[in-house]
Amino acid sequence: QQPVQSPQAVILREGEDAVINCSSSKALYSVHWYRQKHGEAPVFLMILLKGGEQKGHDKISASFNEKKQQSSLYLTASQLSYSGTYFCGTETDSWGKLQFGAGTQVVVTP
Amino acid sequence: DTAVSQTPKYLVTQMGNDKSIKCEQNLGHDTMYWYKQDSKKFLKIMFSYNNKELIINETVPNRFSPKSPDKAHLNLHINSLELGDSAVYFCASSQGQGVGKLFFGSGTQLSVL
């Protein structure tokens, strides 16, 4: 079953912050985050394993709350290059079946 | 050097035709995947192979048949194409099986007329 992402879309000015949420109805083994720019392939951002860790990638970081089966992606001091669609992907076991959410479109304006 | 390459990039064809998409990775990864992205941008897993062995086979019509001649290649053959098959098909690979960073190919835009 695919995870639920929110919001569907967000518009930011350069320098503003945003949070994208991802939740699952099933116990999670891991959460992945990818960004896809228009007409391109999704690009890996980070993986979070169960254990509630927080990871970072430049000024983009994420947390994973295993008990709530939720993950959040934090875009801090957004840059124009952050524009794109962000997908969370979840695994419920170690077999490599990654289910993606519907995506969150992020538009960063000057 | 492209890590995951798929061909063709664009495929326009008539309903009822048979077509193939090829994928090759030079990363030495063990696992390869096919994902379908529809017009609403839903990314859905179709198949995965680990060392040429089929691991994941989602509820995909029998008209779709993956073939992995070796662990660096995973091709997708589609028979009797239908309008609803129009989508972008992405090949991807990862090291090992499960909990791995996915490297995606650039995608094949399939349009069925």
Side-chain angles (χ1 to χ4, degrees):
Chain A
Q1 193 162 358
Q2 68 190 75
V4 176
Q5 275 186 248
S6 64
Q8 280 187 315
V10 60
I11 299 175
L12 302 164
R13 286 193 184 273
E14 247 183 315
E16 289 183 340
D17 302 340
V19 181
I20 300 170
N21 298 306
C22 175
S23 63
S24 171
S25 58
K26 292 188 172 186
L28 296 177
Y29 186 81
S30 71
V31 178
H32 298 222
W33 286 97
Y34 288 78
R35 177 172 63 207
Q36 184 179 30
K37 292 186 182 275
H38 183 69
E40 298 180 9
V43 173
F44 172 82
L45 292 176
M46 62 195 82
I47 291 176
L48 299 103
L49 303 177
K50 57 182 182 179
E53 63 183 290
Q54 185 149 351
K55 282 203 162 188
H57 172 87
D58 195 10
K59 288 184 180 169
I60 299 175
S61 61
S63 62
F64 178 20
N65 187 323
E66 185 187 339
K67 288 181 183 174
K68 291 186 177 179
Q69 292 142 212
Q70 289 174 350
S71 178
S72 294
L73 186 74
Y74 306 95
L75 306 181
T76 306
S78 57
Q79 304 167 18
L80 295 175
S81 61
Y82 287 4
S83 292
T85 301
Y86 288 78
F87 291 95
C88 74
T90 56
E91 291 180 279
T92 53
D93 54 43
S94 61
W95 282 96
K97 184 174 170 179
L98 192 61
Q99 304 268 37
F100 284 98
T104 296
Q105 186 174 10
V106 172
V107 175
V108 181
T109 62
Chain B
D1 256 0
T2 306
V4 181
S5 58
Q6 53 182 110
T7 55
K9 189 161 175 64
Y10 301 97
L11 195 47
V12 181
T13 188
Q14 300 285 335
M15 265 174 53
N17 283 351
D18 303 339
K19 289 293 175 188
S20 292
I21 306 172
K22 295 186 175 184
C23 179
E24 176 182 0
Q25 54 95 2
N26 63 6
L27 297 167
H29 287 169
D30 294 328
T31 309
M32 296 184 72
Y33 310 79
W34 279 110
Y35 276 87
K36 178 182 178 180
Q37 187 169 46
D38 63 22
S39 56
K40 294 184 179 176
K41 290 204 166 184
F42 268 113
L43 253 177
K44 190 168 164 50
I45 188 167
M46 300 173 71
F47 303 102
S48 82
Y49 272 75
N50 180 266
N51 272 315
K52 302 194 298 173
E53 185 185 341
L54 181 65
I55 301 297
I56 294 170
N57 184 352
E58 283 295 277
T59 330
V60 177
N62 290 342
R63 300 181 293 103
F64 290 80
S65 52
K67 279 193 173 55
S68 182
D70 56 60
K71 75 172 196 176
H73 295 84
L74 179 61
N75 304 321
L76 183 65
H77 188 75
I78 315 169
N79 288 326
S80 305
L81 278 155
E82 300 178 359
L83 293 176
D85 297 333
S86 295
V88 180
Y89 292 83
F90 286 102
C91 175
S93 72
S94 68
Q95 183 63 285
Q97 182 181 299
V99 199
K101 172 181 174 179
L102 285 180
F103 290 79
F104 283 89
S106 56
T108 295
Q109 170 95 55
L110 172 64
S111 299
V112 183
L113 308 176

